[in-house]
Amino acid sequence: MTSTVRRLRTSAHSVGFPVDKIGIKAFGPQGLERLVAQSGQPRFRAAQLTKWIYSRNAISFDEMTDLPAAWRETLASTTPLTAPELVAKQISKLDGTRKYLWRLADGVSVESVGLPGPERLTVCFSTQAGCAMGCSFCATGAAGLTRDLAPGEMADQVRLVGLDFEKRVTNAVAMGQGEPFANYEASLDALRLMNSPDALGIGARHLTVSTCGLTTGIDRFAQEPEQFTLAISLHSAVQATRDTLMPGVRGIPLRALRASVSAYAERTGRRPSFEFALIDGVNDSDAELGALIEFTRGLLCHVNLIPVNTIEGSALRRVTQQRALEFLNALVHSGTESSIRTERGADIDAACGQLKQTASAER
Ligand code: SAH
Ligand code: SF4
């Protein structure tokens, strides 16, 4: 093994992902810069390399004719140019939403969703294969965590969905499978790739992270220099209800969550949103509504109400549109901005929480 390969297998600039398996997609922007420096190449090569991979969609190092041939050979043998392979695609007849199943370089599978709009294309990408948090209403949580995704594996989902639609991706949301703040560094590196003008060039404010409420992640996110957007899955402002629905965050009291979100809003001046999946007979009572109003009172925030999407094998039922409207009106009346999220891709199980983890992607 050459010393370069040995050094690459250590995780110094790949945030701990195995470069021999995942290849160059193990790196975010800084990792690519370090790779270039370590190879003794001038700094501008990092931008060239990034453009070839993420903006010119190269499928081999051979195409990168403005890079020195000898370096291209080294790269090909030490950091292969991998990409997710499309295993299955479904297109919603209702609204054109597309759901994708990808097979990653090591055989692990993940899903992404493309949501077209009149003047936008939003991609919902996964940050982990599976999820360890075990929320009772979410299909992803049911099978546990397979592994974290590397920065390039996240950016590639967004890139490839854009290519499939033959449209520029305007927005990307980390609302697919996984908890982004349980894979913090790679998720942030992925957002930076998406944001980089050399890669996907998506504006920071159009890049959203959704977290189940890991306060250490929220605190860290507040310090990041980019203007990325934050969403927090709340689902109940009553501790006992939230503990049952979201066992993975049982150790984080609502009080601490509110304090972190409030500090985030104050520090950044940006408005975070809370997601609240309304479940019949679980979190839709007047007492739940009262607790939600108290929780959000005086906080710079927006509440997204989502009639829960039903998942296979679950007894949880969605509320009526009438009940969702009652929540909406009461929140707005109390001074908190709110809206009801319309369901997309219902006929292909592509809505929030319906992405499933399969052990490996069979063709
Ligand atoms: N792990 C992160 C991001 C992925 S989930 C998080 O939990 O925030 C994306 C969003 O879908 C979250 O708000 C999540 O709570 C919500 N969700 C999960 N299952 C759902 C369901 N069955 N119906 C509606 N929303 C759901
Ligand atoms: Fe994980 Fe989010 Fe699903 Fe909870 S809702 S299991 S945190 S993906």
Side-chain angles (χ1 to χ4, degrees):
M1 197 196 302
T2 66
S3 64
T4 321
V5 176
R6 210 175 302 121
R7 258 180 286 137
L8 287 173
R9 281 199 181 151
T10 63
S11 57
H13 47 281
S14 66
V15 218
F17 294 98
V19 175
D20 50 342
K21 282 207 192 102
I22 293 176
I24 201 143
K25 301 294 163 70
F27 306 126
Q30 278 191 340
L32 288 171
E33 278 170 21
R34 280 198 288 269
L35 174 71
V36 164
Q38 203 177 44
S39 314
Q41 294 291 328
R43 286 182 64 169
F44 67 88
R45 296 274 184 235
Q48 280 181 307
L49 189 57
T50 307
K51 275 188 196 143
W52 274 112
I53 301 173
Y54 292 104
S55 143
R56 301 170 86 170
N57 303 301
I59 53 169
S60 141
F61 288 110
D62 297 338
E63 288 173 57
M64 307 181 188
T65 46
D66 53 359
L67 304 182
W71 187 44
R72 281 190 269 142
E73 265 176 43
T74 312
L75 286 174
S77 63
T78 55
T79 55
L81 183 55
T82 60
E85 211 182 298
L86 182 64
V87 177
K89 178 169 89 172
Q90 288 169 276
I91 305 181
S92 166
K93 290 191 179 68
L94 303 173
D95 55 32
T97 295
R98 299 183 191 177
K99 183 164 87 165
Y100 303 81
L101 175 66
W102 309 104
R103 185 181 187 276
L104 303 178
D106 63 350
V108 163
S109 68
V110 287
E111 291 184 319
S112 330
V113 179
L115 302 138
E119 270 162 33
R120 54 161 77 183
L121 173 59
T122 301
V123 179
C124 175
F125 64 96
S126 297
T127 55
Q128 298 181 306
C131 183
M133 308 311 293
C135 300
S136 63
F137 46 83
C138 172
T140 305
L145 176 67
T146 303
R147 74 162 169 88
D148 287 340
L149 300 193
E153 293 177 317
M154 297 182 224
D156 261 359
Q157 296 171 53
V158 178
R159 178 177 71 87
L160 294 172
V161 172
L163 276 180
D164 185 55
F165 274 90
E166 297 180 356
K167 270 171 83 178
R168 200 179 82 76
V169 176
T170 56
N171 299 66
V173 294
M175 290 189 189
Q177 290 167 249
E179 167 48 44
F181 287 169
N183 182 22
Y184 188 93
E185 278 166 31
S187 297
L188 263 286
D189 269 354
L191 295 184
R192 294 196 172 109
L193 277 176
M194 295 174 201
N195 183 224
S196 163
D198 296 325
L200 303 183
I202 304 172
R205 288 165 197 232
H206 298 154
L207 294 169
T208 302
V209 170
S210 175
T211 176
C212 60
L214 301 181
T215 44
T216 47
I218 297 172
D219 298 345
R220 230 174 131 180
F221 199 61
Q223 314 282 333
E224 302 291 355
E226 296 90 351
Q227 300 205 307
F228 299 134
T229 299
L230 176 67
I232 307 102
S233 299
L234 183 61
H235 305 312
S236 177
V238 174
Q239 194 69 55
T241 314
R242 194 165 195 267
D243 288 352
T244 312
L245 289 175
M246 306 177 73
V249 283
R250 220 173 254 168
I252 304 172
L254 279 162
R255 212 175 338 104
L257 176 60
R258 193 185 186 285
S260 275
V261 175
S262 171
Y264 167 90
E266 247 166 61
R267 186 182 165 94
T268 63
R270 294 195 298 277
R271 179 187 305 264
S273 19
F274 287 111
E275 282 141 328
F276 199 104
L278 283 161
I279 312 169
D280 184 33
V282 175
N283 62 0
D284 66 335
S285 66
D286 287 347
E288 287 279 343
L289 174 57
L292 176 59
I293 287 172
E294 278 320 302
F295 186 85
T296 52
R297 197 186 292 284
L299 200 58
L300 178 69
C301 69
H302 180 102
V303 177
N304 259 319
L305 299 166
I306 316 157
V308 75
N309 299 305
T310 47
I311 59 168
E312 231 177 83
S314 160
L316 302 178
R317 295 279 157 257
R318 51 180 23 210
V319 295
T320 59
Q321 187 68 9
Q322 175 59 30
R323 190 60 181 145
L325 275 170
E326 283 162 16
F327 262 63
L328 177 78
N329 290 335
L331 278 164
V332 171
H333 188 73
S334 78
T336 295
E337 247 194 49
S338 178
S339 50
I340 299 177
R341 188 186 286 168
T342 46
E343 192 184 19
R344 300 281 307 263
D347 55 335
I348 55 167
D349 279 355
C352 283
Q354 293 187 318
L355 302 188
K356 264 186 281 185
Q357 183 54 24
T358 35
S360 68
E362 299 297 338
R363 281 203 282 177

